[in-house]
Amino acid sequence: MMFCRAGHISGWVAAAMIAVAGIMVPAGADAGMGYAVVPTTIIYPGDTLSASQLQEVEVTNPNLAGDFAKSISQVEGLVSKRTLLPGRTIAVSGLREPYTVTRGSSIRLVFSLGSMTISAAGTPLEDGATGQLIRARNMDSGVIVSGTVLADGTVHVRAK
């Protein structure tokens, strides 16, 4: 005949309870993981994302981590930097703001110093989004200047 200590049996019972609880918890945990945005069609680099190309799906994979988009409003109107495949999550780092000025277009260069403002015609030498520092050529003098892109498409030239 074999005898076991009472403390040893309670350890087995506790281990069994933890195992059963571990099996039951993931089913309830799925509901609170949130949503992710996935494309419904292939989106190529340079394409602007629209709500008609996207859908929100419930996240069921507990291992899904990273900077994926969680709502359509978070990514609508942004431009893709890489190819996005249907059914795959969209990494926010793979998106950018649309360009306010594009290389080769006509823009207005503005220089302000105190109450004095000088304005000239120019052309950007690179694409730029609002708030970005770009180089542009003054069309009258041919001088290349650096400036910050403003929301209205003008470039605010900085003093050297």
Side-chain angles (χ1 to χ4, degrees), residues 70-154:
K70 294 172 179 49
S71 71
I72 292 176
S73 62
Q74 181 182 6
V75 296
E76 188 175 17
L78 297 180
V79 178
S80 174
K81 290 195 238 177
R82 57 183 71 115
T83 303
L84 304 174
L85 299 174
R88 299 279 182 106
T89 58
I90 299 173
V92 177
S93 61
L95 306 173
R96 65 168 172 80
E97 292 290 328
Y99 292 134
T100 307
V101 296
T102 55
R103 180 180 175 187
S105 63
S106 295
I107 59 166
R108 198 80 174 121
L109 301 173
V110 178
F111 175 76
S112 297
L113 185 62
S115 62
M116 178 182 69
T117 301
I118 300 171
S119 179
T123 183
L125 299 176
E126 52 200 352
D127 298 329
T130 302
Q132 189 175 11
L133 184 68
I134 65 165
R135 295 178 309 127
R137 182 184 312 275
N138 182 324
M139 296 302 289
D140 297 330
S141 66
V143 174
I144 296 175
V145 295
S146 294
T148 305
V149 179
L150 302 178
D152 62 356
T154 61

Side-chain angles (χ1 to χ4, degrees), residues 9 21 25 46 60 69 78-79 83 98 114-115 120 156 160:
I9 292 173
V25 170
T60 57
L78 297 180
V79 178
T83 303
S115 62
H156 186 264
K160 289 186 178 183

Side-chain angles (χ1 to χ4, degrees), residues 48-72:
T48 302
L49 277 64
S50 68
S52 63
Q53 299 173 304
L54 307 170
Q55 74 180 38
E56 290 181 3
V57 296
E58 188 173 349
V59 176
T60 57
N61 183 352
N63 298 325
L64 184 63
D67 67 339
F68 64 90
K70 294 172 179 49
S71 71
I72 292 176

